[in-house]
Amino acid sequence: MTAGARQTYLNYINGQWIPSSTNQTEPSINPANIHDIVGYVQQSGIEDLNAAVEAAGRAQPAWRKLSGPKRGEYLFRAADVLEQRLDEIAETVTREMGKTLPEAKGEVQRGVNILRYYAGEGMRSIGEVIPSTDSEALMFTTRVPLGVVGVITPWNFPVAIPIWKIAPAIVYGNTVVFKPAQETAVTAAKIMECFDEAGLPAGVVNLVMGKGSVIGNVMAEHPHIHAITFTGSNEVGKMIAQKAVARGAKYQLEMGGKNPVIVLEDADLDRAVEATISGGLRSTGQKCTATSRVFVQSAIYEPFKRRLLARIKELNIGNGLADGVWMGPCASQKQLETVLSYIEKGIEEGATLLCGGRRLDDGEFGNGFYVEPTVFENVSPDMTIAREEIFGPVLALIKVETFEEALALANDTPFGLSASIFTKNIGKMLAFIQDIEAGLVRINEESAGVELQAPFGGMKQSSSHSREQGRAALEFFTAIKTVFVKG
């Protein structure tokens, strides 16, 4: 596929680039400039999904028979291709969903690193010898692939999330049908180009673009998709789980968060302010691990607030491709409207708006989906902005008297993805680690971010309680087979 500003990007099925059966496309729009069309992407139908599932099913027996090291070689080659195209694909990420170019480059590099990590997994142990009560027998376990895996991914990390699902799926012997978010389908096509150039056998990884209400819905019900890994909203995740359970398919869900940071009176204030801003506002707050609720002990509440507001005023907002821009636009018109509706809800319910709160629409801002970084105070725990995931650059400041009060309020949420605390008190660090209801716990660091070799996932309604990344991926993408051998 050749490069082009308004290129039409095709589905990738059975090793071939093909248009959808509907012959319909839609433009992928740059959220920083709606006049910039990144490319045209397919609006696929059920027929296209069926073709991809069929191709994946045909490819799986031969693929699973390859050795783990041999499968890993393909991932090493894909990593090399992705690294060679890092700048180009990072620019596509920025144009397609709005994050700044440095963030996009970091994400693509993370994709390279994930591919290399899982390429190495092809060489690692997948079982253990277990003592048998029969002294003349050998008993051991091994792990086997599930079959065809459906991968459904969101738009906020259009390189890292697909790769951290696809890479372990295929290195452990599965084949994949990949449905990306339609908002970032051009980026998805470029990822597939890297796999194609790496020489993966036809059908091992297949790309089907299209609306979630069409493609994602049918994937959840498809009898020949043996497992589904999904990152996205709770509403869609629960629907997938119900349909997967009904037909006995394995599923993995990573969903929402309402992530707290606790700032205690002995915290390094400058460090806590920077981490709160980075965790809550970087990527325009469009991270599942983004800081949303900020619990600050009363003794340092006012100085923390002053420093926070002063620092936010210094942030440079604009097109993520421009030098020096710290925060880009919301990823879409829909997302902008969602964020603005939550801001309005906060005002209606009586929270005090300290800064921001409006759409930026003057000059060049008028061509994009920009919203000001927004901070509320006097936020009670029952307010909508303290309960629901906003997925935008909105922070809720909540004053607390004690660590115990902060911890109780931090846990007062249906979500449990990530959480952080700032303190020098070792005892309170340990108590936080023990008692916070979150899958990712960060001490004296922002709530957002996890290293690729570490398990990632949430508690309560933030996940299906399985974990992604690191060696934990082996648990989801394989099944244990116990073997008893006697001569």
Side-chain angles (χ1 to χ4, degrees):
M1 298 175 71
T2 58
R6 297 197 176 196
Q7 179 181 339
T8 296
Y9 291 85
L10 306 178
N11 290 332
Y12 183 75
I13 298 174
N14 200 35
Q16 300 294 320
W17 296 101
I18 56 176
S20 67
S21 61
T22 66
N23 291 313
Q24 294 180 337
T25 63
E26 63 181 290
S28 178
I29 304 296
N30 183 344
N33 178 7
I34 59 174
H35 304 297
D36 177 24
I37 297 175
V38 184
Y40 293 92
V41 299
Q42 305 299 308
Q43 291 193 49
S44 302
I46 296 173
E47 182 178 329
D48 304 295
L49 176 63
N50 287 337
V53 174
E54 183 180 344
R58 287 197 308 268
Q60 207 272 325
W63 180 250
R64 72 178 291 170
K65 287 184 182 300
L66 289 181
S67 68
K70 185 65 176 177
R71 293 193 294 261
E73 289 177 11
Y74 287 101
L75 294 188
F76 276 124
R77 288 202 289 271
D80 291 343
V81 176
L82 182 60
E83 189 169 48
Q84 291 161 10
R85 298 180 59 182
L86 189 149
D87 290 343
E88 169 215 341
I89 294 177
E91 182 176 330
T92 302
V93 170
T94 296
R95 287 179 62 208
E96 201 166 30
M97 64 76 58
K99 68 175 60 177
T100 65
L101 189 57
E103 288 180 277
K105 288 183 177 180
E107 181 183 346
V108 179
Q109 183 59 56
R110 181 175 179 178
V112 173
N113 297 342
I114 291 168
L115 284 167
R116 289 181 177 147
Y117 176 89
Y118 283 111
E121 276 292 288
M123 296 286 287
R124 296 191 62 177
S125 167
I126 56 169
E128 61 181 352
V129 174
I130 302 170
S132 171
T133 56
D134 186 336
S135 62
E136 296 180 350
L138 170 66
M139 187 164 61
F140 65 93
T141 63
T142 186
R143 285 184 172 269
V144 295
L146 304 174
V148 176
V149 174
V151 171
I152 304 176
T153 61
W155 45 259
N156 61 327
F157 283 93
V159 175
I161 293 179
I163 288 177
W164 87 44
K165 294 176 183 290
I166 293 170
I170 62 176
V171 84
Y172 296 135
N174 304 283
T175 53
V176 164
V177 176
F178 169 34
K179 202 239 65 90
Q182 197 72 342
E183 294 89 342
T184 50
V186 172
T187 300
K190 289 181 179 289
I191 294 171
M192 295 306 301
E193 290 172 2
C194 295
F195 283 115
D196 182 58
E197 190 173 335
L200 254 71
V204 172
V205 181
N206 304 272
L207 168 69
V208 181
M209 306 174 187
K211 297 186 182 301
S213 57
V214 177
I215 305 303
N217 193 45
V218 176
M219 285 178 75
E221 298 175 324
H222 204 291
H224 301 303
I225 292 179
H226 305 102
I228 294 182
T229 175
F230 166 85
T231 298
S233 71
N234 284 69
E235 180 183 3
V236 175
K238 289 176 181 178
M239 177 274 292
I240 288 172
Q242 290 169 354
K243 293 186 175 184
V245 166
R247 62 184 183 85
K250 197 172 184 180
Y251 66 91
Q252 176 185 66
L253 312 175
E254 290 301 337
M255 300 176 289
K258 194 65 181 172
N259 312 299
V261 58
I262 295 174
V263 184
L264 298 184
E265 58 189 3
D266 65 340
D268 180 328
L269 279 192
D270 289 332
R271 186 174 176 185
V273 165
E274 287 300 319
T276 299
I277 291 172
S278 180
L281 306 180
R282 196 175 290 280
S283 292
T284 322
Q286 297 170 143
K287 297 180 180 179
C288 55
T289 53
T291 301
S292 181
R293 299 173 298 149
V294 187
F295 299 98
V296 185
Q297 206 161 4
S298 58
I300 50 126
Y301 180 86
E302 290 300 328
F304 176 88
K305 180 175 75 173
R306 286 195 301 271
R307 296 186 197 196
L308 181 77
L309 296 177
R311 182 71 183 89
I312 287 175
K313 289 178 181 177
E314 298 173 354
L315 302 181
N316 186 17
I317 303 167
N319 189 322
L321 292 176
D323 291 339
V325 168
W326 193 91
M327 191 182 95
C330 294
S332 65
Q333 176 76 34
K334 179 182 177 182
Q335 193 59 32
L336 172 67
E337 291 172 356
T338 297
V339 173
L340 291 174
S341 71
Y342 275 111
I343 292 171
E344 185 62 31
K345 194 75 171 176
I347 295 170
E348 289 175 359
E349 293 183 358
T352 302
L353 182 64
L354 293 176
C355 72
R358 68 182 183 94
R359 178 177 183 175
L360 294 172
D361 56 9
D362 54 308
E364 289 298 315
F365 289 128
N367 293 324
F369 307 129
Y370 294 95
V371 64
E372 292 178 314
T374 300
V375 181
F376 284 98
E377 70 173 349
N378 297 320
V379 178
S380 63
D382 60 343
M383 288 182 179
T384 302
I385 60 171
R387 305 298 301 175
E388 298 181 12
E389 184 178 43
I390 299 172
F391 225 62
V394 181
L395 295 171
L397 299 186
I398 302 172
K399 186 188 298 184
V400 295
E401 295 302 321
T402 65
F403 163 70
E404 290 75 18
E405 179 189 3
L407 182 62
L409 290 173
N411 282 334
D412 182 19
T413 173
F415 300 106
L417 187 53
S418 69
S420 67
I421 189 171
F422 284 81
T423 181
K424 298 183 180 73
N425 187 302
I426 297 296
K428 288 174 181 175
M429 289 181 195
L430 295 175
F432 182 75
I433 293 168
Q434 177 70 30
D435 296 330
I436 192 69
E437 296 167 355
L440 174 62
V441 181
R442 312 256 288 171
I443 309 298
N444 292 320
E445 187 53 273
E446 66 179 78
S447 66
V450 64
E451 296 192 35
L452 64 92
Q453 71 276 21
F456 173 68
M459 298 179 179
K460 298 192 278 190
Q461 293 189 32
S462 287
S463 84
S464 56
H465 309 289
S466 60
R467 294 294 181 260
E468 298 189 279
Q469 301 199 96
R471 285 232 86 198
L474 182 67
E475 296 292 331
F476 177 75
F477 289 107
T478 63
I480 293 175
K481 181 179 286 186
T482 301
V483 181
F484 184 90
V485 180
K486 187 169 183 178

